[in-house]
Amino acid sequence: MDILENFKNMSVEEANAFLEDLYSCSHDCSTCGADCSSRTKKPAKRVIAVISGKGGTGKTVVTVLLAMALRKRGLKAGILDADIVNSGIPHLLGMKEPVLGEMESLVPAKSPGGIPVISMALISEDPLEPVIWSGIDTAKAAVYLFTESQWAEDLDVLLVDMPTGAGDIALEYYTTMPFDSSLCVAVPGEAAAMPARRAVNLAEMLLVPVMGIVENFAEEGFNLSEVFSDIPVVASLPYDASLRRAADEGGLESYETDALDFLARAIEESLDFGEI
Ligand SMILES: Nc1ncnc2c1ncn2[C@@H]1O[C@H](COP(=O)(O)OP(=O)(O)OP(=O)(O)O)[C@@H](O)[C@H]1O
Ligand SMILES: [Mg+2]
């Protein structure tokens, strides 16, 4: 699991060889000794990382709305709140029941609408207690939650709400969790586009395809598809005070929008291709 530590201590040649190995992964672990994400069992048919370049773009809100849109289509979708320091999913869903530990594994708690959720906020006794671990330890905790949780056998999609950023912590997540793809939540503005671009580039460098950009706080006159000409903008959400209120009050599941429906349909259609 100490890929990042090893990576940091490698010479440039060794680091290049490591990245080359990642690029050329055959996903046949019987012929390779590397301890990488291909070794981690996938808990759902699709594991999708919800990422962003900057904080506060709406990753957590989009994760919940997408889970709702997937469930509206009859798919089984769960959420791993992988933002250990600032876990926000339970608040948006008004969840207080703790995650249960059973036979050394964690049983996801259910939102009022039935979304299975694993989150640090449902494990720690006091959600206001700051998590004062090193960045890498928080990444390891997230990977622990990922691997030790008892998701339903037939989970279609696991959405992973990622912490912000495209640095060493993100690298640890990408190299240890078997993501099929990612979605980048970005907001209008040249200054915000650059970090979003970096986040997209990191995912692509590590062979996690970016399915699309979700434009949040969308505004007239600024078109994110001009900034991301090579990646489709798959959903667009304007600022909506009633959304913010619903989220603040823990009632996001009662918020109705069709903004994520197209994306949910695309994910459903991708399931027809079977395991990837
Ligand atoms: N389209 C929207 N309209 C109104 N409010 C929104 C919208 N999207 C998000 N918000 C609000 O903006 C704030 C930030 O959203 P959110 O917590 O989802 O961002 P985040 O990217 O997950 O942040 P962090 O980087 O801290 O994890 C929240 O108060 C949320 O309710
Ligand atoms: Mg968040």
Side-chain angles (χ1 to χ4, degrees):
M1 287 287 179
D2 282 332
I3 290 178
L4 188 73
E5 266 315 301
N6 294 338
F7 190 71
K8 277 190 197 153
N9 295 328
M10 284 175 196
S11 66
V12 174
E13 290 77 26
E14 284 169 334
N16 282 341
F18 170 78
L19 286 174
E20 206 168 292
D21 272 356
L22 268 180
Y23 274 94
S24 59
C25 177
S26 65
H27 302 286
D28 178 3
C29 302
S30 64
T31 60
C32 171
D35 187 13
C36 79
S37 61
S38 277
R39 255 179 221 289
T40 314
K41 190 176 159 288
K42 265 174 63 182
K45 295 188 191 103
R46 293 287 179 275
V47 181
I48 301 174
V50 182
I51 65 172
S52 73
K54 281 169 87 84
T57 57
K59 281 181 303 302
T60 303
V61 161
V62 166
T63 303
V64 169
L65 295 180
L66 180 57
M68 287 160 54
L70 289 165
R71 288 170 62 84
K72 212 160 66 181
R73 300 194 72 79
L75 299 183
K76 293 201 167 67
I79 298 177
L80 171 66
D81 183 353
D83 192 345
I84 300 295
V85 175
N86 254 325
S87 32
I89 295 280
H91 181 85
L92 302 187
L93 293 169
M95 295 172 74
K96 294 202 174 64
E97 290 301 307
V99 161
L100 298 176
E102 200 176 77
M103 298 288 285
E104 293 180 5
S105 68
L106 301 162
V107 180
K110 289 267 173 78
S111 71
I115 306 173
V117 174
I118 287 279
S119 170
M120 198 65 191
L122 299 171
I123 294 172
S124 53
E125 275 174 18
D126 177 3
L128 293 180
E129 179 106 24
V131 178
I132 40 178
W133 302 339
S134 75
I136 292 309
D137 282 345
T138 62
K140 285 185 177 150
V143 173
Y144 178 84
L145 298 187
F146 184 92
T147 51
E148 301 306 320
S149 298
Q150 283 293 306
W151 302 100
E153 288 283 316
D154 55 348
L155 197 64
D156 292 306
V157 182
L158 180 66
L159 299 173
V160 181
D161 182 18
M162 297 274 278
T164 298
D168 54 351
I169 301 173
L171 182 61
E172 179 84 5
Y173 279 67
Y174 282 126
T175 49
T176 46
M177 293 194 211
F179 294 119
D180 294 301
S181 55
S182 62
L183 285 163
C184 181
V185 183
V187 299
E190 294 292 341
M194 194 100 95
R197 187 78 246 184
R198 266 196 296 272
V200 164
N201 289 348
L202 179 71
E204 289 186 337
M205 253 179 81
L206 296 170
L207 294 187
V208 177
V210 181
M211 287 166 68
I213 304 294
V214 176
E215 181 178 34
N216 196 16
F217 302 113
E219 56 182 69
E220 293 275 329
F222 191 93
N223 196 344
L224 266 179
S225 53
E226 282 167 16
V227 181
F228 292 96
S229 52
D230 52 336
I231 301 172
V233 174
V234 286
S236 189
L237 278 160
Y239 175 83
D240 180 356
S242 65
L243 186 165
R244 191 194 47 72
R245 255 194 314 277
D248 278 351
E249 290 163 3
L252 192 53
E253 277 174 300
S254 63
Y255 181 77
E256 286 184 25
T257 175
D258 57 10
L260 279 305
D261 288 1
F262 168 79
L263 178 57
R265 204 180 97 195
I267 293 171
E268 182 180 22
E269 281 170 4
S270 89
L271 292 173
D272 294 341
F273 295 111
E275 288 291 332
I276 52 171

